[in-house]
Amino acid sequence: MNSPMSGHRAFVPTLADRLVKAAMTTAGRLPGGLIRAIAGSPRQVDGQTLDPHFQAGLRVISLMAGGEYEDLALEEARETVERSAFTASGDRIDLAVVKDIILPLAGDDPARADLPGRLYAPVDTDEPQPMLIYFHGGGWTLGSVDSHDATCRYLAREGGLKVLSVDYRLAPEFQFPTAVEDTLAAFRYVRDNATELGVDASRIAVGGDSAGGNLAAVVCQQARDAGETMPAFQLLFVPATDMSARTASYETFREGFYLTKATMDWYEKTYIRSEDDRTDPRASPLLAKDFSGLPPAHVATGGFDPLRDEGEAYARRMSDAGVAVSLRRHASLVHPFVNGVGASPVAREALAQAVGALRMGLAY
């Protein structure tokens, strides 16, 4: 299913893609000990042991990929992300509502645009429901509602809430701060039209992974700074929080664990317009001067991830400012574990823990 006006072609899997997905789905149901023969000797770095499902998956992805994202043509890189997500997505989760919609955000502002989105709900009811507004990862350059379809289905089912996945505009066609403006406009639209959308206005969360986690964090900061009603909760998976510096985890996990330092460098250079953007809190929320008064948060990081340290630093800054934060490092997982619901029981457990934090934060 492709979002209307999404700006990308719907990914059409080949027979080989379907066979790989079937194999990874089957493997994802097996305990780690049985996968070890495929994965090889345990990889241990920084006192952590890589999940064998992801270790095996990394081998499969490396065989299927035509190169690192930064070395591919843009459309080929975007298709590669869709393919990787498809093969790790597992059996499709059926929900009562899965509907492509258009968010009417343009108004009279020529800089704004109506955006596609995908609405998920485990039940079809007129009663107001909690909602998670989800922003997909992909370095502000790749990814779509399609690449994160399985993730959003899982969150909607396990969380028992509506999920709205937003197809914000991507770089390099639309550089910083377009994605920030799109995601903030999407949150404001849901907040201001909650009744019409069947949403409980007091239980609206924002969330996302990687670049999407960055955007969710920035939406909360921007709403607070504008003196507006903020999201009630923020769900941040492996968030990018600082473009101005590189932490120790960038060097420790610079290559070999899906997200590489070189790829992250390419994402940032594609997204930002100038070096000055790196220190703008809308691009680097860790550089905000004030962390007080932000919504409660759950921050989930991956042990084998270049972004691990900056995500955890963001959680600590919020906690130090009095924000209620749960921080969970999933020590055996790599960066895109939210896309691995079909490939790893440990990834499913990580998302289940996040859902628990979300339900507690929204009190439903």
Side-chain angles (χ1 to χ4, degrees), residues 65-78 80 141-142 255 260 262-267 270:
E68 300 295 338
Y69 294 132
E70 64 272 20
D71 298 325
L72 302 176
L74 181 61
E75 289 307 313
E76 186 178 1
R78 287 175 173 167
T80 299
T141 305
L142 314 176
E255 58 185 20
T260 69
T263 299
M264 198 65 204
D265 290 344
W266 174 67
Y267 284 152
T270 304

Side-chain angles (χ1 to χ4, degrees), residues 17-243:
D17 296 330
R18 295 183 184 279
L19 291 174
V20 171
K21 176 183 177 178
M24 293 184 71
T25 301
T26 300
R29 300 190 184 104
L30 300 176
L34 295 178
I35 301 299
R36 184 59 66 192
I38 302 172
S41 300
R43 296 192 66 180
Q44 297 179 329
V45 181
D46 200 26
Q48 307 168 136
T49 302
L50 183 62
D51 171 41
H53 291 86
F54 273 102
Q55 186 171 325
L58 288 171
R59 296 179 67 178
V60 172
I61 289 172
S62 67
L63 292 173
M64 295 178 63
E68 300 295 338
Y69 294 132
E70 64 272 20
D71 298 325
L72 302 176
L74 181 61
E75 289 307 313
E76 186 178 1
R78 287 175 173 167
E79 182 172 304
T80 299
V81 162
E82 304 288 339
R83 174 173 289 107
S84 296
F86 172 79
T87 57
S89 62
D91 295 327
R92 190 177 74 168
I93 297 171
D94 290 323
L95 299 169
V97 177
V98 178
K99 181 172 64 174
D100 286 346
I101 64 173
I102 295 294
L103 302 176
L105 308 179
D108 297 325
D109 186 347
R112 303 265 33 87
D114 294 341
L115 296 179
R118 186 168 295 160
L119 180 66
Y120 305 84
V123 294
D124 191 358
T125 176
D126 294 330
E127 293 295 318
Q129 300 294 304
M131 171 172 276
L132 170 65
I133 306 172
Y134 197 86
F135 309 129
H136 66 77
W140 309 274
T141 305
L142 314 176
S144 67
V145 296
D146 294 324
S147 66
H148 285 64
D149 182 73
T151 303
C152 291
R153 286 173 183 263
Y154 187 91
L155 292 169
R157 183 187 69 183
E158 297 302 305
L161 81 170
K162 290 184 175 181
V163 175
L164 174 62
S165 182
V166 179
D167 229 349
Y168 58 90
R169 290 175 289 179
L170 300 176
E173 296 92 338
F174 299 95
Q175 291 184 296
F176 173 82
T178 299
V180 173
E181 294 167 348
D182 283 353
T183 51
L184 181 59
F187 162 67
R188 286 170 169 162
Y189 174 76
V190 173
R191 180 196 64 196
D192 296 343
N193 296 276
T195 300
E196 294 84 348
L197 295 170
V199 172
D200 181 345
S202 67
R203 291 183 170 91
I204 300 173
V206 293
D209 62 290
S210 193
N214 167 281
L215 293 167
V218 171
V219 165
C220 292
Q221 289 188 4
Q222 290 290 294
R224 179 204 57 184
D225 293 347
E228 301 176 1
T229 299
M230 297 181 295
F233 192 81
Q234 46 184 328
L235 186 62
L236 310 181
F237 294 110
V238 294
T241 65
D242 188 2
M243 295 189 193

Side-chain angles (χ1 to χ4, degrees), residues 217 220-221 224-225 230 234 241 281 284-296 310 313-325:
C220 292
Q221 289 188 4
R224 179 204 57 184
D225 293 347
M230 297 181 295
Q234 46 184 328
T241 65
S284 298
L286 186 61
L287 303 186
K289 295 180 179 179
D290 182 12
F291 288 81
S292 64
L294 291 171
E310 65 188 73
Y314 192 76
R316 288 192 295 270
R317 290 292 299 276
M318 288 193 291
S319 180
D320 290 345
V323 178
V325 178

